[in-house]
Amino acid sequence: MTPLLSATLAWATGLMVGLRWTPGLAMVAGLVLAAAALMRTGVVTRKGTVLVAFVLAGVAVGGVRGDGARRDCRAMLPDGAGVVARGYPTALPTAGAAVLFRGEGVCRGAMRLRPRDQHLAVLDSAARGWTSAVEVHGRWLAYPVRGGWPRAPIHTGSLVVDSVRPLSVADGAGSVTRTGSAQRAGLATRFRVTQQARLRALLPERWGLAEALLLAQKTGLAQETRARFVAAGLVHLLAISGMHVGLIAAGVLLLTQVAGLPRRRGKRIAVVVTAAYVLFLGAPSAALRAMLQATLLLLSTELQRPAEPFTLLATAGLAILLLEPMALLDPGFQLSFAGMIGLIGWRRPVLLALPTRLPKYVREGMAAGIAASALTTPVAALHFGTASWVGIPGSVVAVPILSAALAAVVGALLVAAATGSATGVHAALADLPLRALDAVAELCARVPGGHGYLSATMVLSLLAAAALYLVVRRAVPAQQRVLRVGVAAAAAVVLVAWAPALGRAGDGTLAIHAIDVGQGDAFAIRTPGGRWVLVDAGPRTLHSDAGRDRVVPYLLRHGVRRIEALILTHPDADHIGGAVAVLDAFDVGIVIDPGLAAGKTMFIDVLAAARREGQRWVAGRADVAFEIDGVRFDMLYPLHEFDATLTANDLSVVFRLDFGRFAALFLGDAPTEVEELLAARHGAGLRSTVLKVGHHGSTTSTGEALLRTVRPEVGLISAGRRNRYGHPAPSVVRRLEAHQVRVLRTDVLGNVTVRATRAGEVEVLAR
């Protein structure tokens, strides 16, 4: 390895240690690493001493930076704390999405606002610079801490806005303007906001896609669009990366050649324009890496010094990690460098292995895609739980379209700025390649088996198997090739099969998992034999999908590979929104719902997904029952005859689960009228240890008649933190406590697990 590459790896290793543990433990771990390095390289060697110094310096910097992130004011704010902030949004707000806000108040620094629709006009005016600074009042929504790694303060929570108002001079708007941390939007921000406004006028249907591709603003992307690109393996196109920077640089070079400028001067102009573009975007890791590599390559050309590819990459990485050590934990940073390592190391061998009869462009594109995907696929699966092979051939088609889209959008913006017109040929030409790019993503997403879901444990097992293979290959002589391959393959099979086997193995107990999906329901039931039933799948909105983001990853972490039954209690978005992602991710035995036709778009989407997967669909009416591993599921409601004019909640599926002396009653969103009907019809037959409290704890459910009949010991409530409905209602919580019911809430505890034995013994685990 070159000295710069060795130094970068040593620095990154030290940072990882320092970021993961507290400064004291990190220094101990760093000293252990240093001792190991000295033992291997020798105390007196200059290279060994330098590398040890880089490791120890990385440990120290990582420890300080990680501790600072954990102690940041935004990370320390308690959930629900009242916050007042003064400042400016740095982008145009979008309905249903967060917007970045820079200001001063309880905490200094940027934070994400979650405004309601009535606040959008004031924030939009402030972002465009039409009004003064704004004052925002709200409640802090602290994000749950998962794992021991620190998070950038901007990702520790968001401010749910209660009210917002423009500041006048009397309020001190001038002082806010003069304050460094909350000063008026800078030139780059104002320019970006102006371009956002033009894009929204030029492309009324696809402005969200254009903003993501050109301005690194993803808040306007519809959830369906984002999910389409993820499933197609083309989600990397939505992030500003080295590809986008390269396309911008290539475009500038082409323009300089058309203008007749000398090639050397054209390269300099391209580097300057690229650097300005990256800084304009806020210098995301992937774009910054590409810009630094381009600058270093130009410098090496000017100095007539050869440029070794890995050294250029290492220099760019070291520069970024010196500026921002926590970039090492950023998925964008990891994906960008993993892709470049694959391209540099494996593109040529893959190219030589491909059939020569293929067109040169296809061979080049596939070689680059395969080489980069070899490392980016496990990284993406580790972070997002999705792996896609169809993205490799898809990129061969999509990348030229992306180039045309960027050129067309930039051209349309220039014409709109010059003429002031948001309609015309330039707008139509910009929309055409965006429409084509979206169509390619949709086509790739529909390829059967084109993508799949992987748990983090499975990814780590695959990486461990690959590392083991490399060790065996190095240790076993080349002459014993059969032995080498056989040992590595056997170890790989054991490692890869390990995680699913753990998830499938039953321990003789029943487990009910209340998955924290926010304001919605999702309950996973694991039978004593290790099989799974899912009750509802969480909400889906324009910008989020709890099924994809929470339910599927949660189930994968627990080794789920098949769902025996998916029970959709009723066709409301907060219960069935995530069902499409679940049906896409897992093999599902049967789908059960009330059997009520609903003309809701989300319900139709679920029907379409089930039809694609060939699912068996059953109406969950009273007297329908099934049994899995000694656990009986009895549907109690709706009845076979009902009034079709009733609401979805009125016809919510209610079922009782029986396992020996343990029972649980799931009410969906059934109202008190249904509860009273069931209490009168079944009496003591409703008695249950666990009650899934109806309608997220709303006052419309959980009446006295039900509680007197069921006599539950534990009440599970699934609700979003500080949701706008006020769920669970304080009166319902008091009623449950008056009946000596232990209340477990996902909005307070996060994920909750209730384990039960056949003898009726119950254990509760939170998070």
Side-chain angles (χ1 to χ4, degrees):
M1 289 189 291
T2 62
L4 268 172
L5 180 56
S6 300
T8 302
L9 292 175
W11 177 256
T13 301
L15 284 181
M16 289 289 284
V17 174
L19 290 169
R20 182 62 178 84
W21 290 290
T22 58
L25 289 174
M27 286 307 299
V28 172
L31 290 173
V32 172
L33 285 174
L38 288 172
M39 290 175 62
R40 180 171 179 81
T41 61
V43 180
V44 295
T45 63
R46 181 179 300 175
K47 181 178 179 181
T49 304
V50 171
L51 291 182
V52 168
F54 266 87
V55 171
L56 290 177
V59 171
V61 171
V64 172
R65 186 68 181 86
D67 193 55
R70 293 183 183 95
R71 296 177 181 273
D72 185 274
C73 173
R74 289 160 288 182
M76 301 291 286
L77 274 176
D79 187 57
V83 174
V84 179
R86 294 181 169 190
Y88 298 85
T90 63
L92 292 182
T94 304
V99 60
L100 190 64
F101 185 84
R102 296 191 182 276
E104 60 182 10
V106 175
C107 294
R108 291 184 178 272
M111 62 179 63
R112 296 189 185 279
L113 298 186
R114 294 193 174 275
R116 296 184 173 88
D117 291 349
Q118 62 265 34
H119 306 138
L120 295 179
V122 177
L123 292 174
D124 186 276
S125 181
R128 295 172 188 259
W130 294 344
T131 62
S132 62
V134 293
E135 182 177 87
V136 177
H137 293 249
R139 296 285 171 182
W140 187 251
L141 178 66
Y143 297 158
V145 178
R146 293 186 174 93
W149 296 102
R151 296 177 296 178
I154 191 64
H155 298 306
T156 57
S158 58
L159 183 60
V160 181
V161 179
D162 292 327
S163 65
V164 56
R165 69 183 181 91
L167 291 175
S168 64
V169 176
D171 293 318
S175 64
V176 174
T177 303
R178 290 191 296 271
T179 302
S181 63
Q183 61 181 216
R184 194 177 180 86
L187 183 61
T189 301
R190 292 288 300 280
F191 183 69
R192 184 167 59 245
V193 168
T194 301
Q195 304 317 310
Q196 276 190 281
R198 286 196 177 123
L199 284 176
R200 296 185 181 195
L202 281 166
L203 303 162
E205 293 184 10
R206 265 167 282 279
W207 59 265
L209 183 57
E211 284 186 6
L213 295 176
L214 192 64
L215 304 178
Q217 296 289 329
K218 299 179 186 173
T219 57
L221 272 178
Q223 177 59 40
E224 289 78 7
T225 302
R226 193 190 302 264
R228 213 163 27 240
F229 276 80
V230 169
L234 301 175
V235 69
H236 59 283
L237 301 182
L238 299 180
I240 301 295
S241 62
M243 181 186 302
H244 297 71
V245 173
L247 291 173
I248 295 293
V252 174
L253 273 175
L254 181 62
L255 290 176
T256 59
Q257 291 176 8
V258 171
L261 295 177
R263 186 171 181 81
R264 178 172 292 185
R265 184 178 299 177
K267 289 182 178 180
R268 294 174 183 173
I269 294 173
V271 168
V272 171
V273 172
T274 301
Y277 175 64
V278 171
L279 295 175
F280 159 72
L281 295 175
S285 297
L288 185 58
R289 186 267 308 156
M291 186 267 287
L292 289 173
Q293 278 188 275
T295 304
L296 291 170
L297 185 60
L298 174 65
L299 185 61
S300 69
T301 303
E302 295 281 350
L303 297 176
Q304 297 185 353
R305 299 286 297 273
E308 200 277 322
F310 276 115
T311 301
L312 287 181
L313 184 64
T315 305
L318 185 60
I320 294 172
L321 293 179
L322 286 171
L323 290 171
E324 179 47 78
M326 286 191 63
L328 190 62
L329 305 179
D330 178 35
F333 176 91
Q334 296 173 13
L335 287 168
S336 177
F337 279 84
M340 282 304 301
I341 292 171
L343 280 173
I344 295 171
W346 296 329
R347 187 192 68 84
R348 182 168 178 78
V350 173
L351 182 63
L352 294 175
L354 290 174
T356 55
R357 62 178 177 272
L358 292 174
K360 183 179 179 181
Y361 165 74
V362 175
R363 291 180 68 232
E364 291 279 355
M366 291 191 68
I370 293 170
S373 299
L375 289 182
T376 58
T377 296
V379 175
L382 193 62
H383 286 287
F384 310 118
T386 304
S388 172
W389 65 265
V390 76
I392 296 173
S395 295
V396 176
V397 179
V399 169
I401 298 176
L402 173 63
S403 305
L406 289 175
V409 171
V410 171
L413 286 175
L414 293 175
V415 173
T419 63
S421 173
T423 58
V425 176
H426 58 293
L429 290 177
D431 184 70
L432 187 61
L434 291 175
R435 187 189 299 270
L437 184 63
D438 199 24
V440 171
E442 184 173 6
L443 180 64
C444 291
R446 291 183 178 274
V447 173
H451 66 281
Y453 294 84
L454 294 175
S455 67
T457 306
M458 174 65 77
V459 175
L460 293 175
S461 298
L462 288 168
L463 292 176
L468 185 61
Y469 170 74
L470 294 176
V471 171
V472 171
R473 180 179 180 183
R474 186 180 182 89
V476 178
Q479 293 80 1
Q480 302 180 20
R481 189 170 300 172
V482 175
L483 176 62
R484 175 195 291 180
V485 174
V487 172
V493 169
V494 172
L495 284 169
V496 172
W498 168 68
L502 286 181
R504 284 196 297 265
D507 59 3
T509 65
L510 173 79
I512 300 173
H513 299 259
I515 305 173
D516 179 13
V517 292
Q519 185 59 22
D521 270 9
F523 293 86
I525 301 168
R526 195 213 64 198
T527 69
R531 294 194 282 183
W532 293 82
V533 172
L534 183 65
V535 184
D536 292 326
R540 190 177 85 201
T541 66
L542 185 62
H543 299 284
S544 66
D545 184 342
R548 186 201 66 194
D549 300 333
R550 299 195 184 187
V551 177
V552 170
Y554 185 91
L555 295 176
L556 288 172
R557 286 198 301 272
H558 286 77
V560 179
R561 293 297 175 270
R562 172 181 165 84
I563 296 172
E564 303 302 325
L566 171 60
I567 301 174
L568 302 175
T569 58
H570 60 292
D572 279 354
D574 57 335
H575 291 252
I576 68 167
V580 173
V582 170
L583 290 167
D584 190 27
F586 301 105
D587 178 23
V588 177
I590 59 172
V591 179
I592 299 173
D593 85 327
L596 172 68
K600 300 180 179 181
T601 301
M602 223 167 268
F603 183 67
I604 294 171
D605 290 344
V606 175
L607 288 174
R611 183 176 182 181
R612 286 197 306 271
E613 302 296 333
Q615 300 295 345
R616 180 186 172 200
W617 202 283
V618 175
R621 306 286 175 80
D623 302 329
V624 171
F626 61 93
E627 186 172 321
I628 303 175
D629 297 331
V631 180
R632 183 175 173 84
F633 296 79
D634 283 292
M635 306 294 126
L636 306 178
Y637 190 85
L639 306 178
H640 286 278
E641 295 181 0
F642 57 81
D643 185 352
T645 63
L646 294 174
T647 66
N649 286 351
D650 295 330
L651 294 172
S652 186
V653 168
V654 177
F655 71 92
R656 186 171 181 269
L657 174 157
D658 277 288
F659 176 55
R661 295 184 179 179
F662 173 84
L665 182 64
F666 287 78
L667 290 170
D669 280 1
T672 52
E673 292 81 3
V674 172
E675 296 174 353
E676 292 168 358
L677 184 152
L678 292 173
R681 181 171 182 173
H682 297 280
L686 286 184
R687 191 107 9 119
S688 301
T689 310
V690 171
L691 172 69
K692 201 297 289 186
V693 176
H695 204 177
H696 321 288
S698 167
T699 55
T700 61
S701 303
T702 322
E704 284 287 346
L706 177 84
L707 293 176
R708 285 196 302 268
T709 303
V710 177
R711 299 183 185 178
E713 298 175 12
V714 176
L716 293 176
I717 301 178
S718 181
R721 283 172 291 166
R722 294 192 311 283
N723 59 84
R724 60 190 176 119
Y725 307 102
H727 295 160
S731 60
V732 172
V733 175
R734 287 194 298 269
R735 190 180 305 143
L736 288 164
E737 291 173 346
H739 283 264
Q740 299 182 336
V741 179
R742 181 183 179 186
V743 178
L744 304 173
R745 299 166 47 173
T746 60
D747 61 328
V748 175
L749 300 173
N751 300 320
V752 177
T753 301
V754 177
R755 287 181 181 165
T757 66
R758 188 177 291 276
E761 298 170 341
V762 172
E763 177 188 15
V764 174
L765 301 173
R767 290 230 177 268

